[in-house]
């Protein structure tokens, strides 16, 4: 009997063995919502999820569904679609920044090696997904998980690496950090 040909150029073996690079997922918050209908209440769920590669890429997503597992899956897919690259300086971030979203404000500061992640709930989950090992973070406004997470993402997206700043100013990184009045030594 002749073997069947794979359709549409795909390999006949299971293609799930060759996944994209594995991402770290963190469920930040699960919310139950209720809709009152004729027969009682109909419950739905939404899940706020952070996804990152641990090397400077992170995304957040919100998934809504009638079951928790489905809401988490949808949130994960949304997070993978909206990933951003965060400039890192070794195990920490380059400089302090305040992120704002709605009434939520988050202060994110670099920390010395060995400090760890000093941050609360949603902010901690995002820092772990990005791959930041040493950071200090403080919530300054609303403590709503959605606003805190979006404020944290705003702070991380606001950051620019030294290379980007130097390129924008038309100079090298070395020139960027040179102290004014310092003599050139060779």
């Amino acid at each position: 009997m002749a073997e069947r040909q794979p359709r549409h150029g795909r390999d006949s073996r299971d293609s799930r063995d060759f996944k994209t690079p594995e991402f770290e997922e963190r469920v930040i918050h699960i919310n139950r919502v209720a809709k009152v209908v004729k027969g009682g209440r109909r419950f739905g769920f939404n899940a706020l999820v952070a996804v990152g590669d641990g090397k400077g890429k992170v995304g957040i997503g919100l998934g809504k569904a009638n079951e928790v597992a489905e809401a988490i899956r949808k949130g994960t897919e949304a997070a993978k679609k909206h990933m951003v690259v965060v400039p890192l300086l070794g195990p920490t971030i380059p400089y302090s920044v305040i992120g704002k979203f709605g009434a939520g404000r988050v202060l994110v500061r670099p920390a010395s090696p060995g400090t760890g992640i000093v941050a609360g709930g949603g902010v901690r989950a995002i820092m772990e997904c990005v791959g930041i090992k040493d950071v200090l973070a403080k919530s300054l406004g609303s403590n709503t998980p959605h606003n805190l997470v979006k404020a944290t993402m705003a702070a991380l997206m606001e950051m620019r690496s030294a290379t980007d700043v130097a390129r924008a100013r038309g100079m090298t990184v070395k020139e960027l950090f040179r102290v004014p009045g310092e003599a050139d030594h060779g």
Side-chain angles (χ1 to χ4, degrees), residues 18-184:
F18 308 103
K19 281 190 208 170
T20 55
E22 198 53 46
F23 291 115
E24 193 173 329
E25 294 176 23
R26 289 271 194 287
V27 177
I28 298 167
H29 185 72
I30 294 175
N31 189 30
R32 188 180 79 166
V33 292
K35 178 184 180 182
V36 180
V37 292
K38 190 177 170 185
R41 292 186 185 92
R42 180 158 293 153
F43 294 106
F45 298 91
N46 60 44
L48 187 62
V49 182
V51 172
D53 67 352
K55 299 180 196 114
K57 280 180 80 175
V58 69
I60 57 167
L62 180 65
K64 299 178 180 184
N66 291 330
E67 285 93 34
V68 176
E70 185 68 9
I72 292 171
R73 187 191 63 75
K74 285 181 179 181
T76 303
E77 282 179 15
K80 285 179 182 175
K81 285 181 190 170
H82 299 104
M83 292 189 86
V84 294
V85 178
V86 178
L88 300 177
L89 189 64
T92 189
I93 56 175
Y95 54 88
S96 297
V97 66
I98 294 179
K100 297 177 186 122
F101 185 88
R105 286 171 52 223
V106 174
L107 167 66
V108 184
R109 295 176 59 195
S112 55
T115 305
I117 299 172
V118 182
V123 180
R124 173 181 292 272
I126 290 176
M127 297 301 167
E128 288 171 350
C129 288
V130 174
I132 296 172
K133 303 277 186 277
D134 302 304
V135 71
L136 303 168
K138 179 72 183 139
S139 164
L140 302 172
S142 162
N143 63 355
T144 310
H146 293 267
N147 285 347
L148 273 184
V149 164
K150 289 177 182 172
T152 305
M153 287 299 289
L156 294 177
M157 285 163 48
E158 198 178 302
M159 272 192 264
R160 295 165 65 197
S161 68
T163 337
D164 293 341
V165 174
R167 191 178 304 120
R169 294 183 191 178
M171 47 185 12
T172 66
V173 176
K174 221 174 198 177
E175 290 170 334
L176 185 69
F177 289 110
R178 188 171 51 211
V179 180
E182 190 178 273
D184 285 326

